[in-house]
Amino acid sequence: MRSAADRIRVAVGMVLSVMIFGTLGYWAFGFTLLDAMYQTITTITTVGFRELEEFGTAEKWFTMVLIIVGVSTVLYSFTLVVQAVVEGQLKDFVGRRRMDRQIKNMSGHSIVCGWGRVGAAVAHDLEASGERVVVVDADPERVRDVPYPTVLGDATSDNVLRDAGIERAKSLIAALDGDAANLFVTLSGRDLAPSLFIVARARSDESVSKLEHAGADRVVNPQELGAARMASFVASPNVAEFVDVVMHERSLEFRMQEFDIDRDSPIAGKTLRQANLREASGALVLALRDADGRFTTNPNGDSRIEHHHVVIAVGTHEDLARMAKLVAPA
């Protein structure tokens, strides 16, 4: 089946062909080129103001053929164009309704505001980590080919964020181009969903504290991160590449993962030695993070795991799956 664009091209080609046929025919009967074109257009459009020259038998037969062929072609072409436009609008409408229903049924997803280079990279990494993503952007051309559920609109609008399911979302990523826009998104997100985890993009250092005060849990400056990453490839290339592979490429057997320790977790209140995580799961605990955000790196066996701690571990997929069962509430 032809696409809408193909059908429109066919329609335009058919009309042009009839116009060329009529113009050449009248020109052969002695009309000037302009008069031949004028006579053709007035004939096939059924306007028919008047005949510019005296018509003989041959001209009359040619005009009758042109009327039948031309009017039929113009009407058919007009039908193709209308069909293509209506089908395109209907397809967009049906697709949007289906996507809206899909978003309404989502919960625990991540909302990425801004489909630029940063937003696209964030969305792809989130998907690779098993997260569900909804993208918000105001540019219809940019969101046309987004491979995730999308909301077309200004991300600084509360209604647009509601359409993205912010009340049911797990996290919000403000990745718009301007710091002011990301500040508004952060303020709106924190107001609409107080417990939402918000990550905001900052272009300038002075915007970092403002975004934090607005409610961002984390503020990231991609330029600074890029510079630090480039420096690490010079200073410690193997370490940097190993971290990249573990965290992003997923081509290595080992993974890093974090586990939130709930109050009802069977290991809450135990030391690492008592929890026996290494022997029972095979995963290695790299660090503990307390409720105040402080890290205990390379914890020993006497390090106590409290509820609201975050355990950061490394291991194979199977090791981490076993650890998830060990720390889950009974």
Side-chain angles (χ1 to χ4, degrees), residues 2-14:
R2 288 195 181 99
S3 66
D6 289 337
R7 281 179 283 179
I8 291 176
R9 281 193 288 268
V10 169
V12 172
M14 292 172 65

Side-chain angles (χ1 to χ4, degrees), residues 5 8 71-72 75 78 84 96 101 111 114 139 159 163 172 185 213 237 246 255 283 297 315 318:
I8 291 176
V71 173
S72 301
L75 289 177
F78 179 74
R96 173 50 56 189
R101 288 196 299 269
I111 301 173
D139 188 342
N159 289 333
D163 290 341
L172 173 71
V185 171
H213 289 152
V246 169
R255 307 253 58 80
T297 57
E318 293 77 14

Side-chain angles (χ1 to χ4, degrees), residues 6 11-12 35 66 79 82 89 97 108-109 113 124 127 141 215 291 296:
D6 289 337
V12 172
D35 286 348
L66 183 61
T79 301
V82 171
Q89 293 177 342
R97 290 294 298 273
H109 57 286
C113 299
H124 294 326
E127 184 192 37
E141 292 301 320
T296 301

Side-chain angles (χ1 to χ4, degrees), residues 219-239:
V219 180
V220 177
N221 186 326
Q223 288 83 2
E224 286 188 359
L225 285 181
R229 186 178 179 189
M230 293 170 70
S232 66
F233 274 117
V234 174
S236 304
N238 295 300
V239 173

